[in-house]
């Protein structure tokens, strides 16, 4: 049955974007994407270095798993407040402050003395990263109103590039300087440089664009629930939470699995994680599809594909080439497809004037689950082994995400009208 697509065909009011050339839009958006790529690199350097950090501090696998993914609790806690703020305060200012905050958190990690203060520093990094992501996706939802999934796909490519480059650069810096601390100092300094670039290059007409609420008569969105807390955001929230549990459960301890279970070298493990970032760059075609097909079905497909990939990863494959291919597929489906379409679907489940809160709801539901995914996976490993943990958290759990999608009614969402309509 064909969906009823009710978004007006007229573009958003350009009153707030007068004077912006295509070049200034492209350059400004490229800088914002680069800042998000640094965000991803900043996250990724911790995972392949976790065995060395555990060895120095004597952390248990549970503690290592919590450190690996617990920082995402900061992203979750930042989600709703940041979503409220970005609907009311300068988004450029928020992005600048957030990059500064996560860079300070990164700078503090190598000077930590134990589990507690390292956890706090990781949490601070997560808060900064969460605020930046919320503001950035709000910019996308407002400025690229009619093509938000494609724009989110471009950001997803930047995120994937960060996942790809982070472990490679991080492990090389750690090896070259003979200390796991070196990459954190370098990435923190890069964050300060990025703040300067954003301040000088990104035009506020890009970041402060009026939302799609100005795209046409307000009545055009009467089919969307007036409250951002509705059945669609509930169903998508379940799907987002499952996505966070799966992807970060995979990311957090995957290098440890490769090194301790399959006896890969540190370089092989880092390469596998990097290749998952290459897979995450599939966010661009995933976003293109998200603007053209029913996102509920697209998300269900991605959950099934993620489940199948995880099964082969933890139950069947043992060779390095096979794990490289599977890491690419996990990045493509669990990040490229699920992350990109979860965040844009959540924005489409609310009215345009609530785009910030839609982004915040995504951050809350996705990253609260992600925060405890590493600890959950470590506990499952302790009780069931690596294959059992991979089976239950990464292979079976996606079924719950598909069940959540059953609550979603796409006729009550803001959807793009096809070009041939």
């Amino acid at each position: 049955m064909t969906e009823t697509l009710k978004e007006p065909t007229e573009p958003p009011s350009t009153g707030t974007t007068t004077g912006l050339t295509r070049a200034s839009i492209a350059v400004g958006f490229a800088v914002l994407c680069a800042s998000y790529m640094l965000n991803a690199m900043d996250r990724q350097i911790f995972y392949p270095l976790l065995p060395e950090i555990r060895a120095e501090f004597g952390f248990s696998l549970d503690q290592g798993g919590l450190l690996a993914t617990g920082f995402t609790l900061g992203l979750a806690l930042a989600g709703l407040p940041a979503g409220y703020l970005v609907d009311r305060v300068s988004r450029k200012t928020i992005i600048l402050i957030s990059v500064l905050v996560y860079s300070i958190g990164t700078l503090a990690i190598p000077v930590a003395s134990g589990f507690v203060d390292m956890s706090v520093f990781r949490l601070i990094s997560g808060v900064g990263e969460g605020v930046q992501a919320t503001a950035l996706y709000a910019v996308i939802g407002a400025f690229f109103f009619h093509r938000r999934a494609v724009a989110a796909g471009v950001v997803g490519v930047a995120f994937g590039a960060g996942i790809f480059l982070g472990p490679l650069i991080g492990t090389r810096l750690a090896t070259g300087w003979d200390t796991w601390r070196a990459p954190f100092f370098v990435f923190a300094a890069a964050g300060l440089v990025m703040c300067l670039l954003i301040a000088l290059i990104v035009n506020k007409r890009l970041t402060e664009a009026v939302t799609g609420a100005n795209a046409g008569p307000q009545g055009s969105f009467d089919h969307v629930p007036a409250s951002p807390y509705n059945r669609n955001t509930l169903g998508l929230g379940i799907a987002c939470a499952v996505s966070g549990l799966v992807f970060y459960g995979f990311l957090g301890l995957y290098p440890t699995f490769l090194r301790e279970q399959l006896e890969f070298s540190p370089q092989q493990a880092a390469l596998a994680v990097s290749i998952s970032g290459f897979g995450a760059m599939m966010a661009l075609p995933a976003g293109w599809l998200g603007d053209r097909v029913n996102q509920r079905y697209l998300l269900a497909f991605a959950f099934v594909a993620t489940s199948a990939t995880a099964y082969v990863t933890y139950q069947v494959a043992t060779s390095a080439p096979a794990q490289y291919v599977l890491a690419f597929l996990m990045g493509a489906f669990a990040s490229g497809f699920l992350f990109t379409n979860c965040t844009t679907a959540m924005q489409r489940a609310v009215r345009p004037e609530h785009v910030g809160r839609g982004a915040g709801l995504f951050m809350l539901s996705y990253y609260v689950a992600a925060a405890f995914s590493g600890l959950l996976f470590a506990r499952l490993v302790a009780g069931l082994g690596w294959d059992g943990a991979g089976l239950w958290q990464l292979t079976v759990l996606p079924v719950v995400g598909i069940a959540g999608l059953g609550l979603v009614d796409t006729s009550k969402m803001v959807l793009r009208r096809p070009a041939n309509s």
Side-chain angles (χ1 to χ4, degrees):
M1 181 177 177
T2 304
E3 296 176 38
T4 302
L5 304 178
K6 301 183 180 180
E7 183 178 316
T9 55
E10 293 301 315
S13 169
T14 58
T16 61
T17 59
T18 302
L20 273 182
T21 65
R22 288 186 177 182
S24 63
I25 293 171
V27 172
F29 188 49
V31 171
L32 292 177
C33 287
S35 74
Y36 200 53
M37 180 178 73
L38 180 62
N39 183 320
M41 295 170 71
D42 197 79
R43 303 181 197 186
Q44 292 302 117
I45 57 176
F46 194 88
Y47 304 135
L49 300 174
L50 181 56
E52 283 74 22
I53 295 171
R54 285 179 60 206
E56 177 172 330
F57 289 95
F59 295 152
S60 67
L61 185 61
D62 279 5
Q63 289 175 312
L66 189 57
L67 280 171
T69 62
F71 79 99
T72 60
L73 182 60
L75 282 89
L77 294 174
L80 283 182
Y84 180 85
L85 286 173
V86 299
D87 284 336
R88 290 164 173 78
V89 182
S90 166
R91 297 169 191 148
K92 178 176 177 178
T93 300
I94 291 173
I95 290 173
L96 275 169
I97 294 173
S98 64
V99 175
L100 180 62
V101 168
Y102 79 65
S103 298
I104 291 172
T106 299
L107 181 64
I109 289 171
V111 300
S113 59
F115 177 77
V116 175
D117 57 344
M118 188 176 290
S119 298
V120 171
F121 299 148
R122 290 280 285 166
L123 190 66
I124 291 171
S125 294
V127 169
E129 290 166 358
V131 172
Q132 185 202 15
T134 304
L136 180 55
Y137 278 101
V139 169
I140 289 170
F143 193 88
F144 301 100
F145 184 66
H146 291 279
R147 298 292 186 275
R148 72 182 78 191
V150 167
V154 175
V155 173
V157 170
F159 184 79
I163 294 177
F164 178 77
L165 294 171
L168 293 179
I169 295 174
T171 53
R172 179 162 294 187
L173 288 170
T175 300
W177 291 5
D178 197 26
T179 173
W180 62 265
R181 291 175 169 82
F184 294 94
F185 291 126
V186 172
F187 280 85
L192 300 180
V193 173
M194 188 59 67
C195 285
L196 182 62
L197 291 176
I198 294 171
L200 294 177
I201 295 175
V202 178
N203 195 307
K204 275 196 171 184
R205 294 190 182 94
L206 170 62
T207 57
E208 316 310 319
V210 176
T211 70
N214 292 332
Q218 181 62 34
S220 299
F221 301 104
D222 283 349
H223 64 290
V224 181
S227 171
Y229 312 107
N230 55 64
R231 174 175 166 173
N232 279 343
T233 55
L234 173 61
L236 288 168
I238 293 171
C240 291
V242 171
S243 298
L245 278 170
V246 170
F247 188 51
Y248 277 85
F250 167 77
L251 276 182
L253 290 175
Y254 182 57
T256 306
F257 162 70
L258 295 177
R259 293 180 61 177
E260 296 185 1
Q261 181 71 11
L262 301 186
E263 299 182 345
F264 281 25
S265 69
Q267 291 74 23
Q268 287 176 312
L271 179 58
V273 177
S274 293
I275 289 175
S276 72
F278 191 62
M281 295 182 194
M282 293 298 291
L284 185 56
W288 182 86
L289 285 171
D291 276 335
R292 286 160 175 77
V293 304
N294 188 315
Q295 280 188 300
R296 182 177 60 176
Y297 299 148
L298 187 61
L299 286 168
F301 159 76
F303 274 125
V304 172
T306 298
S307 178
T309 302
Y311 179 83
V312 179
T313 300
Y314 288 90
Q315 313 299 323
V316 179
T318 58
S319 69
Q323 286 293 335
Y324 296 155
V325 172
L326 292 164
F328 172 86
L329 293 175
M330 185 64 78
F333 295 124
S335 180
F337 276 81
L338 286 178
F339 186 95
T340 302
N341 286 286
C342 276
T343 185
T344 53
M346 187 69 86
Q347 288 188 11
R348 284 172 168 149
V350 302
R351 292 189 178 182
E353 63 268 26
H354 295 147
V355 64
R357 269 166 279 189
L361 283 171
F362 166 76
M363 298 297 292
L364 178 68
S365 55
Y366 187 92
Y367 285 112
V368 162
F372 300 99
S373 60
L375 177 61
L376 174 60
F377 200 82
R379 291 289 175 87
L380 289 173
V381 170
L384 303 172
W386 288 102
D387 55 346
L391 176 65
W392 288 105
Q393 186 167 336
L394 307 186
T395 305
V396 175
L397 187 60
V399 175
V400 178
I402 295 174
L405 294 173
L407 297 173
V408 176
D409 181 356
T410 53
S411 69
K412 295 182 178 180
M413 296 172 64
V414 179
L415 299 171
R416 174 181 173 274
R417 187 182 300 275
N420 60 358
S421 62

